[in-house]
Amino acid sequence: MKTIATVSTPVGRGAIAIVRMSGDRSLEIASRIFSCKKLNSFVEAQPNYMYYGSVDTGEIKDNILAVYFKAPRSYTGEDVVEFQCHGGVRLIDEILKKCLSEGCEIADKGEFTKRAFLNGKIALSDAEGIIDMINGESSASLAAGYRLAKGETARKINQLQSLLLDCVSHLEASLDYPEEMEEEARSDAKAVARNLISELERLLSTCSVGKYIRDGINVAIIGQANVGKSSLLNAFLGRDRAIVTDIAGTTRDSIEEFVEVSGIMLKLIDTAGIRDTDDVVESMGVKRSIEAAKGSDVILFVTEAGRQLNDYERQLIEKFDPSSNIILVVNKCDSSNDNRDAIKISAKTGEGIDKLKDKIIELFIDKSVDTSGNIITNERHAQAVKKALASIESAAAQMDAMPTECILVDLKEAYFALGEITGNTANEEIIDNIFSKFCLGK
Ligand SMILES: Nc1nc2c(ncn2[C@@H]2O[C@H](COP(=O)(O)OP(=O)(O)OP(=O)(O)O)[C@@H](O)[C@H]2O)c(=O)[nH]1
Ligand SMILES: [Mg+2]
């Protein structure tokens, strides 16, 4: 395979930047760019040692660090060399150009990780865990990405696949000796199917929690003008992010902010107070508010203490999809009493905010789901588990009535569906699609 190179740190100026090479020729190419006093040539470099030396591209000279990872004990499973240099844009560009002119080809997005997968270093699901860790913003999403990246899901799936494989081999052998083996093979298959169904159902039960752990929860703050929506946003964040005034129509455009609650990321959208208005800018804001409500996981419908919902507010609530999650939040409880069955808060004093946070988390994170074990955070994995489950259920339903050949078809389908998760049965299209989501140099 060709030797590839690219810059693995973000584009722009920085304290340091890393140029990475992977492939058979990495060491030899590096030795033509980098030299150090300790070695006659970098081809003599010991693996996993950092060398201080100099780089000479013809155009520029600089002192840099270089490290060699010997195949297969490297990120990609191939020979890898990394140069750590000062993070100047021009400098990095020159070093990369030199690598290319000495024989490297420029790496595609995610190509290093793709090679790690193709060389059997990691499963496809591990690679997806790596992307999740790079993108993860909350502690729960990082933890879930880490567990995926270090192969917990892959191990579970491999274990289920190997149960299926044993069962398929047993059934296939019984086709040649139906008299002696068929009954035993069938009863074995029944037990395996029961076990797999319960394992896959457990995995599926973690999907919805997994989605919110990974992607966070979208929370829209909606209500009439002046009820205290922006004040609520500020109370959530613990700082004065949005402008608050006693003038109705203060917020005109939606404001998005993130806050972490119990390890889960909440994306809060403060919206323009909804009211009939002739002001063009404000009415565009109102339209956005209604759209934000539609695209959110939960709507905090904010109203004021000391009065019932007015006609306008009731009409507004009716505009929302009946299946949407709406939490009625009664604000300004510091200034008036209210005995409605709702979440009562004061954005001004902070009273009730923690209760509101807990309520939001409770809606989405089912406490009965054990999130310390294997959880499915990825929609692609969820689809594959569903497919496998349907095939095994179909096999189980036919176990007493249908010929062994038919049962085998279903069990093999389940095996292939599970293999899409780890990549051992995934096709090229799935693989390319996953690596296209990586950043350059990863
Ligand atoms: N007493 C009291 N006043 C509050 C509370 N929350 C907000 N207010 C006041 O209510 C007024 C409106 O607050 P905002 O947060 O701007 O209300 P809004 O819903 O964002 O208003 P628009 O952006 O115009 O839709 C301000 O004068 C706030 O000081 C509260 O909990 N208690
Ligand atoms: Mg506002």
Side-chain angles (χ1 to χ4, degrees):
M1 234 191 294
K2 63 190 190 206
T3 297
I4 49 169
T6 195
V7 181
S8 284
T9 36
V11 184
R13 281 193 301 166
I16 53 170
I18 295 175
V19 175
R20 175 147 73 167
M21 281 187 269
S22 177
D24 292 346
R25 295 188 56 209
S26 299
L27 196 59
E28 169 227 326
I29 292 173
S31 74
R32 279 189 265 133
I33 303 170
F34 175 80
S35 55
C36 67
K37 282 192 186 137
K38 277 200 167 168
L39 303 170
N40 293 322
S41 160
F42 194 63
V43 288
E44 296 165 5
Q46 270 196 63
N48 310 334
Y49 273 82
M50 192 79 106
Y51 290 91
Y52 178 67
S54 59
V55 68
D56 188 350
T57 69
E59 281 283 315
I60 54 120
K61 285 191 173 97
D62 194 14
N63 292 329
I64 67 167
L65 294 164
V67 59
Y68 164 53
F69 300 101
K70 188 174 164 56
R73 299 181 62 193
S74 71
Y75 182 68
T76 58
E78 303 169 342
D79 270 2
V80 168
V81 173
E82 287 183 10
F83 291 139
Q84 288 192 11
C85 1
H86 297 120
V89 179
R90 181 70 209 288
L91 182 66
I92 278 297
D93 215 36
E94 281 299 327
I95 294 175
L96 178 60
K97 262 202 242 157
K98 185 73 178 159
C99 295
L100 300 181
S101 71
E102 292 292 344
C104 285
E105 292 196 24
I106 190 87
D108 268 345
K109 271 175 157 185
E111 196 169 353
F112 291 93
T113 314
K114 185 175 180 178
R115 287 187 174 200
F117 166 66
L118 295 175
N119 291 325
K121 295 283 290 187
I122 57 168
L124 203 51
S125 43
D126 302 358
E128 289 168 302
I130 295 170
I131 313 181
D132 287 351
M133 284 192 66
I134 292 174
N135 295 335
E137 285 178 336
S138 68
S139 59
S141 68
L142 269 180
Y146 176 67
R147 291 209 298 260
L148 191 57
K150 79 177 186 150
E152 279 187 15
T153 303
R155 265 193 295 283
K156 184 79 212 168
I157 298 299
N158 286 339
Q159 187 197 340
L160 300 181
Q161 267 192 311
S162 94
L163 283 176
L164 267 170
L165 203 59
D166 287 347
C167 175
V168 164
S169 320
H170 199 177
L171 281 172
E172 274 181 341
S174 81
L175 287 174
D176 295 332
Y177 307 98
E179 305 275 293
E180 295 89 339
M181 288 181 70
E182 196 164 13
E183 211 177 299
E184 190 204 327
R186 288 251 184 159
S187 96
D188 171 42
K190 266 189 214 168
V192 170
R194 261 199 308 275
N195 179 9
L196 283 166
I197 288 172
S198 93
E199 292 269 13
L200 293 174
E201 279 176 343
R202 197 203 68 76
L203 277 178
L204 272 182
S205 74
T206 68
C207 286
S208 76
V209 171
K211 175 187 179 306
Y212 295 114
I213 285 180
R214 191 177 89 142
D215 301 336
I217 301 169
N218 288 325
V219 183
I221 307 174
I222 306 280
Q224 256 194 305
N226 244 354
V227 292
K229 299 178 296 301
S230 301
S231 305
L232 174 57
L233 174 81
N234 291 345
F236 258 115
L237 299 175
R239 64 188 163 91
D240 281 341
R241 165 66 180 86
I243 297 172
V244 169
T245 74
D246 56 3
I247 304 164
T250 304
T251 308
R252 294 179 148 218
D253 202 351
S254 305
I255 301 176
E256 290 182 7
E257 277 296 334
F258 295 87
V259 65
E260 195 174 318
V261 176
S262 309
I264 310 290
M265 193 57 83
L266 303 188
K267 180 180 166 194
L268 302 165
I269 310 165
D270 174 27
T271 61
I274 297 174
R275 58 175 190 158
D276 275 327
T277 172
D278 294 333
D279 184 307
V280 180
V281 179
E282 198 184 337
S283 64
M284 282 165 81
V286 168
K287 234 190 223 164
R288 285 195 182 182
S289 307
I290 293 171
E291 273 164 25
K294 282 185 182 153
S296 66
D297 298 308
V298 58
I299 297 166
L300 304 185
F301 191 88
V302 186
T303 184
E304 290 161 316
R307 64 165 176 85
Q308 291 300 310
L309 291 184
N310 56 35
D311 288 348
Y312 197 65
E313 287 175 318
R314 272 198 296 271
Q315 281 169 19
L316 198 56
I317 290 183
E318 278 164 18
K319 279 199 185 135
F320 301 138
D321 185 336
S323 66
S324 42
N325 289 305
I326 303 178
I327 300 178
L328 183 64
V329 180
V330 178
N331 188 29
K332 308 193 185 179
C333 287
D334 56 292
S335 65
S336 310
N337 286 329
D338 200 287
N339 48 21
R340 270 176 289 181
D341 182 20
I343 298 280
K344 284 166 219 152
I345 65 159
S346 163
K348 194 171 176 181
T349 66
E351 187 195 323
I353 300 291
D354 284 343
K355 223 192 289 165
L356 177 57
K357 287 180 178 174
D358 291 345
K359 173 88 186 165
I360 296 169
I361 298 294
E362 265 169 34
L363 268 183
F364 297 96
I365 307 297
D366 181 351
K367 290 241 168 69
S368 66
V369 174
D370 175 13
T371 51
S372 64
N374 274 300
I375 52 168
I376 300 279
T377 48
N378 181 304
E379 185 51 32
R380 192 182 75 80
H381 302 173
Q383 290 307 329
V385 170
K386 271 186 202 155
K387 241 195 295 184
L389 180 60
S391 300
I392 294 174
E393 279 172 340
S394 154
Q398 301 185 50
M399 215 61 96
D400 290 322
M402 298 297 280
T404 299
E405 285 87 345
C406 296
I407 298 163
L408 277 168
V409 169
D410 280 333
L411 294 180
K412 284 179 187 169
E413 260 174 30
Y415 179 88
F416 275 94
L418 290 178
E420 282 180 9
I421 298 176
T422 55
N424 65 19
T425 64
N427 63 34
E428 214 163 306
E429 200 182 334
I430 297 178
I431 295 167
D432 287 346
N433 182 29
I434 287 169
F435 290 104
S436 70
K437 293 180 194 143
F438 272 72
C439 21
L440 210 61
K442 188 68 195 169

